[in-house]
């Protein structure tokens, strides 16, 4: 005599299909989830297998082996679904590929990086330290304040002023030529 895999399921005889589903549904759903990647597909798979079991309920002689019957229905149903799934191909004259996005010029990127660092170096030492800690070292405002021994509000206001200076730096913003202020650009 073989030892049952799940003793609680094999020793109970279920008087009705609904009592079986109530008692064993969660276990069977776990099995269905193991067969599919999507939880919604697993529920649909279990419903289909349970429908097949319901239709055969009267013909199933050994109600001790219901779990095996439903598991076999799950596997067979999943296999049938997989086989039926078709990928349709359509012939076309041109491939529907998007135009390649031009890669940024490495030389231009290096020029911009150099200009950024020159602009950062022109900031006062305290603002420069805060900008480097916040954006280069990626520290939070609280961490930056702790490192520098200042309040978080001081970090916020100093970084805000520093970013304002960087935005107005003529080397970073080609539209800001020497002798042209922000008011002149708005008027243009």
């Amino acid at each position: 005599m073989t030892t049952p895999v799940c003793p609680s399921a094999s020793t109970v005889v279920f008087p009705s299909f609904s009592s079986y589903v109530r008692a064993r549904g969660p276990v069977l759903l776990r099995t269905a989830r193991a067969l599919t990647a999507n939880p919604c597909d697993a529920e649909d798979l279990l419903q289909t297998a349970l429908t097949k079991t319901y239709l055969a309920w009267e013909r199933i002689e050994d109600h001790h082996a219901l779990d095996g019957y439903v598991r076999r229905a799950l596997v067979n149903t999943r296999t049938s679904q997989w086989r039926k799934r078709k990928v349709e191909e359509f012939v076309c004259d041109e491939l529907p590929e998007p135009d390649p996005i031009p890669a940024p010029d490495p030389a231009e990127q290096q020029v911009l990086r150099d200009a950024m660092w020159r602009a950062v170096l022109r900031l006062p030492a305290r603002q420069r330290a805060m900008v480097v800690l916040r954006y280069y070292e990626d520290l939070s405002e609280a961490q930056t304040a702790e490192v520098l021994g200042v309040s978080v509000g001081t970090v916020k206001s100093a970084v805000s002023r520093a970013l304002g200076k960087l935005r107005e730096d003529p080397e970073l913003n080609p539209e800001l030529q020497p002798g042209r202020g922000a008011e002149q650009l708005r008027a243009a």
Side-chain angles (χ1 to χ4, degrees):
M1 184 165 133
T2 61
T3 306
V5 175
C6 184
S8 63
S10 64
T11 58
V12 177
V13 176
F14 296 97
S16 69
F17 177 76
S18 59
S19 65
Y20 171 73
V21 172
R22 271 193 302 275
R24 302 300 296 161
V27 173
L28 296 170
L29 182 58
R30 278 196 305 268
T31 303
R33 284 188 178 160
L35 293 172
T36 63
N38 185 340
C40 295
D41 289 343
E43 290 174 3
D44 291 343
L45 177 63
L46 179 59
Q47 288 298 318
T48 303
L50 288 175
T51 301
K52 291 177 180 180
T53 304
Y54 177 76
L55 294 173
W57 186 258
E58 298 299 324
R59 292 189 315 262
I60 299 173
E61 295 174 8
D62 186 10
H63 280 243
H64 294 292
L66 282 172
D67 280 356
Y69 184 90
V70 175
R71 284 191 183 103
R72 175 51 56 195
L74 284 167
V75 170
N76 290 345
T77 302
R78 182 64 185 134
T79 303
S80 295
Q81 289 172 347
W82 176 76
R83 285 180 181 158
K84 287 179 187 176
R85 195 170 288 168
K86 290 183 181 178
V87 177
E88 294 185 21
E89 295 181 13
F90 299 100
V91 178
C92 59
D93 294 333
E94 294 182 30
L95 293 176
E97 295 178 7
D99 293 333
I101 298 172
D105 183 15
E108 288 179 13
Q109 288 181 322
Q110 188 61 45
V111 167
L112 183 60
R113 277 191 208 99
D114 292 344
M116 176 61 79
W117 278 112
R118 284 191 299 275
V120 168
L121 290 173
R122 286 191 291 271
L123 292 172
R126 187 173 177 178
Q127 288 181 354
R128 182 176 357 137
M130 291 182 189
V131 166
V132 168
L133 289 173
R134 279 286 290 131
Y135 297 104
Y136 183 73
E137 294 294 328
D138 201 26
L139 297 181
S140 68
E141 291 168 343
Q143 291 169 327
T144 303
E146 184 179 330
V147 167
L148 296 175
V150 296
S151 70
V152 174
T154 302
V155 171
K156 287 181 180 182
S157 62
V159 168
S160 176
R161 284 192 300 275
L163 292 177
K165 287 180 183 179
L166 292 174
R167 281 187 203 99
E168 293 178 0
D169 191 292
E171 194 175 358
L172 295 177
N173 190 348
E175 295 177 359
L176 292 175
Q177 299 297 323
R180 294 184 72 187
E183 292 78 23
Q184 291 174 329
L185 283 176
R186 284 189 212 115

